[in-house]
């Protein structure tokens, strides 16, 4: 991260765009709810909206939702906390690692890692962490469920340090645990935060202290626990590095907060931490040049496409991360892949309890753009400049199956359905050069099931998946003549993806090695950048 960058305009500088990474059951959903509670969204839900303007935009959107049958789940949520605007991007919940998860993490500037205090770093957390590490994303840690029997605090911190190879610095320190959990000592601000067990939604009592020796602590903490706390915090301060904001921004250090999401405890301290230590919107890699958030002109990229669940309509919502500028509703942007202008007249902003038409948005924000399939994952939108955001990969699928419609008369329908899912990024679809039918590729086995039931549900089309003779797919790159020559000589193995790009299918690593030897002009790659 470059420290010599100019200060961002205030509207951009206050934005924090992040995702939560965790293992199922650690408390992601609960924590999200509490974020929304403190983000004012829950009170907002019950508020009577008096302003004509607000009412109009809301009903506009509801009408649009009705007319078009768009149903968008909470893929991105925006809310304000103090002076900050938080954009929380949801990572897909199922345990199968998918490209979707990876791509979501390309749209954020930071991640909040939630771990269960009794379980520590679990498998899914580890995987997601590694994806964050690839991008040097800053990570803030929340150790949840401290109201239950948790592990020893030093042990938890050690485990994160060892397993994830990242420096950990305690931002708070728990006082007791399980039934005796009283709250935390806020190490960064020398405050005592006490949990209210009687009221789960109540903001904890917060007492300002003169440091660890402040005698007022004895009014709230029994002597044995107090002694232990003082000892532990002193030891932690000696053994562990102090919080270094730059190191956090570079992804080398993670501050850890302890709390209990279900009791709303520790959540505000974490939110303060995201505001204070979390990154502002970052520079976006693109070619032929990077895009800086403070640029006056708007640029953004599609990181997710969600198809409409209503089978009568075929509209989609493309989720766009704004990389620069100040977007206003009605703007005309250039769709770089097709070089065509696009009027963005119905963008959606996902304000926590309220989905609204986005009248405006800034670099860092996520907007939803309803469209008929023009917008695909990896597409860039600009005010005219031919920029292409990079770093949104498409992975070679690890599992391949051939697919047929239960009813052979419905082959055309099947093709349409498959193309839609390919555009959405839900699966790879390959059309073999020779023969009929399609081969579908996914990264996790669960995706076949999801795909099958969606095709049936959304297209009324029962389908059958069968084992394919192939197990690997590689995109073929090289000069046109070389690729053509290679294609003609290997017809049995060639298919085309939904963009029409040439893909080599095989079941043998040996084949791949042989081609690299026999066709030096041709390269086979396991990823392709989404176009
Ligand atoms: P997710 O799968 O990560 O989204 O986890 P959830 O938020 O759904 O939480 C999983 C379970 O843990 C639910 O039963 C929650 O009520 C419970 N839970 C979440 N936070 C806490 C906490 O701080 N303490 C306790 N005791 N339970 C919690």
């Amino acid at each position: 991260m470059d420290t010599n960058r100019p200060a961002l305009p205030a509207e951009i500088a206050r934005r924090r765009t992040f995702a939560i990474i965790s293992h199922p059951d650690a408390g992601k959903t609960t924590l999200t709810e509490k974020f929304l509670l403190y983000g004012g969204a829950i009170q907002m839900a019950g508020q009577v909206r008096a302003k004509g303007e607000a009412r109009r935009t809301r009903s506009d959107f509801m009408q649009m939702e009705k007319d078009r049958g768009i149903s968008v789940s909470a893929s991105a949520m925006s809310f304000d906390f103090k002076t900050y605007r938080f954009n929380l991007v949801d990572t897909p919940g199922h345990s199968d690692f998918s490209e979707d998860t990876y791509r979501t993490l390309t749209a954020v500037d930071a991640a909040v890692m939630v771990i269960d205090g009794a379980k520590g770093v679990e498998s899914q957390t580890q995987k997601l962490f590694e994806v964050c590490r690839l991008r040097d994303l800053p990570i803030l840690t929340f150790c949840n469920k401290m109201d239950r029997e948790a592990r020893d605090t030093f042990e938890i911190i050690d485990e994160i340090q060892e397993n994830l190879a990242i420096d950990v610095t305690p931002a708070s320190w728990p006082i007791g645990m399980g039934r005796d959990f009283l709250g935390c000592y806020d190490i960064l601000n020398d405050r005592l935060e006490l949990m209210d067990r009687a009221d789960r939604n109540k903001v904890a009592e917060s007492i300002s202290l003169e440091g660890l020796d402040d005698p007022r602590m004895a009014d709230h903490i029994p002597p044995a626990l107090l002694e232990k706390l003082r000892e532990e915090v002193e030891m932690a301060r000696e053994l562990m590095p102090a919080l270094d904001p730059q190191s956090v921004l570079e992804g080398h250090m993670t501050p850890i907060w302890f709390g209990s999401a279900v009791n709303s405890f520790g959540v505000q301290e974490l939110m303060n931490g995201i505001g204070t230590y979390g990154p502002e919107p970052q520079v976006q890699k693109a070619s032929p040049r990077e895009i800086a958030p403070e640029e006056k002109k708007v640029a953004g990229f599609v990181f997710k496409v969600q198809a409409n669940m209503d089978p009568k309509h075929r509209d989609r919502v493309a989720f766009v991360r704004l990389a620069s500028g100040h977007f206003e509703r009605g703007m005309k942007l250039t769709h770089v892949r097709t070089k065509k202008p696009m009027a963005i007249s119905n963008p959606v902003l996902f304000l926590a309890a309220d989905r609204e038409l986005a009248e405006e948005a800034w670099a860092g924000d996520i907007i939803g753009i309803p469209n008929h399939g023009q917008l695909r994952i990896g597409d860039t939108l600009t005010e005219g400049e031919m920029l292409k955001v990079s770093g949104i990969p498409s992975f070679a699928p690890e599992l391949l199956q051939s697919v047929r419609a239960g009813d052979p008369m419905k082959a055309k329908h099947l093709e349409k359905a498959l193309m839609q899912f390919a555009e959405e990024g839900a699966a790879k679809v390959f059309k073999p050069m020779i023969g009929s039918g399609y081969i579908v590729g996914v990264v996790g086995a669960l995706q076949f099931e999801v795909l099958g039931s969606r095709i049936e549900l959304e297209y009324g089309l029962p389908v059958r998946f069968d084992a394919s003779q192939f197990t690997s797919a590689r995109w073929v790159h090289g000069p046109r003549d070389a690729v053509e020559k290679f294609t003609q000589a290997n017809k049995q193995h060639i298919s085309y993806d939904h963009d029409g790009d040439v893909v080599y299918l095989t079941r043998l690593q040996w084949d791949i090695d042989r081609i690299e030897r026999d066709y030096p002009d041709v390269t086979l790659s396991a990823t392709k950048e989404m176009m």
Side-chain angles (χ1 to χ4, degrees):
M1 240 155 263
D2 188 353
T3 42
N4 301 319
R5 297 182 33 70
L8 293 175
E11 265 305 331
I12 298 177
R14 77 184 187 98
R15 279 160 161 79
R16 298 286 180 275
T17 303
F18 63 100
I20 299 179
I21 59 171
S22 62
H23 193 81
D25 235 33
K28 182 172 89 167
T29 312
T30 312
L31 185 63
T32 303
E33 279 168 17
K34 301 298 166 151
F35 278 167
L36 300 183
L37 174 72
Y38 294 123
I42 292 184
Q43 289 100 295
M44 208 169 78
Q47 246 171 31
V48 183
R49 306 181 128 264
K51 283 193 295 184
E53 181 62 19
R55 208 166 38 229
R56 184 184 66 73
T57 54
R58 172 143 177 81
S59 60
D60 270 6
F61 181 77
M62 295 195 10
Q63 192 53 41
M64 182 173 85
E65 201 168 42
K66 227 170 84 197
D67 289 349
R68 301 181 164 196
I70 291 171
S71 72
V72 185
S73 62
S75 292
M77 282 164 275
S78 301
F79 47 94
D80 286 319
F81 177 73
K82 299 195 169 166
T83 56
Y84 302 105
R85 161 64 56 92
F86 286 164
N87 296 311
L88 172 56
V89 185
D90 190 38
T91 43
H94 52 77
S95 63
D96 251 21
F97 175 78
S98 77
E99 292 179 68
D100 217 19
T101 317
Y102 188 97
R103 287 191 294 249
T104 298
L105 292 170
T106 64
V108 299
D109 301 305
V112 168
M113 174 166 77
V114 180
I115 61 173
D116 180 328
K119 296 188 175 146
V121 178
E122 297 175 84
S123 59
Q124 187 76 354
T125 317
Q126 174 115 25
K127 267 194 194 169
L128 290 163
F129 178 88
E130 276 153 18
V131 175
C132 294
R133 155 109 351 131
L134 286 175
R135 297 192 51 231
D136 291 325
L137 276 187
I139 294 178
L140 308 174
T141 304
F142 185 70
C143 183
N144 191 28
K145 305 199 187 182
M146 294 306 292
D147 60 314
R148 288 231 203 112
E149 280 314 305
R151 292 217 211 135
D152 173 70
T153 310
F154 286 100
E155 202 186 301
I156 294 170
I157 292 178
D158 268 358
E159 185 182 275
I160 299 172
Q161 234 152 229
E162 296 285 307
N163 284 11
L164 306 179
I166 187 167
D167 288 334
V168 183
T169 182
S172 68
W173 200 267
I175 307 166
M177 71 163 74
R179 230 172 281 160
D180 300 326
F181 181 63
L182 292 181
C184 283
Y185 184 81
D186 178 340
I187 294 184
L188 300 177
N189 307 295
D190 280 316
R191 301 181 75 88
L192 191 59
E193 308 290 344
L194 296 173
M195 189 169 88
D196 189 327
R197 281 186 186 259
D199 183 352
R200 287 187 154 185
N201 289 331
K202 202 167 147 198
V203 177
E205 193 179 353
S206 175
I207 300 157
S208 181
L209 298 169
E210 300 291 328
L212 267 182
D213 295 324
D214 195 316
R216 278 174 301 166
M217 292 230 275
D219 301 342
H220 305 278
I221 308 172
L225 275 182
L226 182 55
E227 197 186 332
K228 184 163 180 265
L229 171 72
R230 286 187 170 137
E231 247 177 59
E232 288 184 345
V233 172
E234 266 165 30
M235 213 162 118
R237 279 182 167 152
E238 253 170 57
L239 293 175
M240 294 167 192
L243 193 146
D244 171 0
Q246 191 53 33
S247 188
V248 173
L249 290 177
E250 287 166 2
H252 300 315
M253 173 182 277
T254 181
I256 183 169
W257 283 264
F258 294 83
S260 168
V262 81
N263 288 294
S264 310
F265 184 79
V267 177
Q268 289 199 89
E269 290 71 36
L270 173 65
M271 291 173 92
N272 273 324
I274 298 169
T276 313
Y277 305 106
E280 299 172 345
Q282 295 294 301
V283 170
Q284 177 65 46
K285 289 206 176 86
S287 63
R289 64 168 189 87
E290 295 184 328
I291 304 168
E294 68 275 15
E295 287 174 26
K296 289 273 181 295
K297 289 197 171 162
V298 170
F301 63 97
V302 179
F303 65 95
K304 179 185 171 110
V305 171
Q306 195 170 313
N308 170 18
M309 299 305 282
D310 180 343
K312 288 199 281 298
H313 302 272
R314 294 281 170 245
D315 277 6
R316 295 135 210 219
V317 173
F319 290 83
V320 171
R321 151 87 195 224
L322 292 182
S324 66
H326 177 207
F327 169 87
E328 284 169 301
R329 179 180 166 199
M331 261 180 129
K332 262 209 186 69
L333 294 179
T334 300
H335 182 230
V336 172
R337 180 165 53 81
T338 57
K339 303 191 174 60
K340 284 191 182 139
M342 257 186 112
I344 315 294
S345 45
N346 294 322
V348 186
L349 191 64
F350 304 88
L351 284 172
D354 236 350
R355 221 178 290 123
E356 302 243 5
L357 282 184
E359 294 299 330
E360 60 163 9
W362 295 84
D365 285 341
I366 311 289
I367 58 174
I369 303 181
N371 69 100
H372 300 286
Q374 305 94 310
L375 290 176
R376 296 190 189 168
I377 293 165
D379 280 357
T380 308
L381 295 167
T382 67
E383 286 192 48
E385 196 176 338
M386 290 295 132
L387 293 175
K388 162 112 187 55
V389 164
S390 51
I392 304 182
S394 181
F395 295 96
E398 287 165 15
L399 299 162
L400 298 174
Q401 291 195 347
S402 66
V403 60
R404 272 187 296 164
D407 175 355
M409 303 302 286
K410 296 261 172 76
K412 265 274 161 273
H413 285 79
L414 176 64
E415 177 175 330
K416 220 172 131 193
L418 291 174
M419 286 306 146
Q420 179 203 310
F421 293 120
E423 281 164 26
E424 231 184 87
K428 294 284 169 319
V429 174
F430 304 117
K431 175 131 190 63
M433 195 173 174
I434 292 176
S436 59
Y438 285 89
I439 291 170
V440 172
V442 298
V443 177
L446 196 72
Q447 283 173 269
F448 283 125
E449 264 171 63
V450 173
L451 213 61
S453 60
R454 282 190 62 187
I455 295 174
E456 178 144 14
L457 205 80
E458 294 171 37
Y459 289 83
L461 200 64
V463 292
R464 260 187 57 190
F465 288 100
D466 289 304
S468 158
Q469 55 168 320
F470 302 118
T471 52
S472 308
R474 294 287 182 274
W475 280 279
V476 182
H477 304 283
R480 244 176 106 161
D481 297 354
V483 171
E484 182 59 24
K485 191 172 145 234
F486 169 76
T487 308
Q488 289 306 324
N490 292 280
K491 282 185 186 162
Q492 303 290 347
H493 290 269
I494 299 298
S495 66
Y496 298 95
D497 74 5
H498 74 285
D499 293 321
D501 288 332
V502 180
V503 178
Y504 178 78
L505 300 177
T506 181
R507 61 180 311 125
L508 300 169
Q509 178 60 38
W510 187 84
D511 274 343
I512 296 173
D513 298 341
R514 176 183 61 85
I515 287 158
E516 281 168 357
R517 245 189 359 256
D518 295 354
Y519 296 89
D521 290 345
V522 162
T523 49
L524 298 183
S525 88
T527 57
K528 91 167 184 175
E529 291 243 332
M530 299 291 280
M531 290 286 295

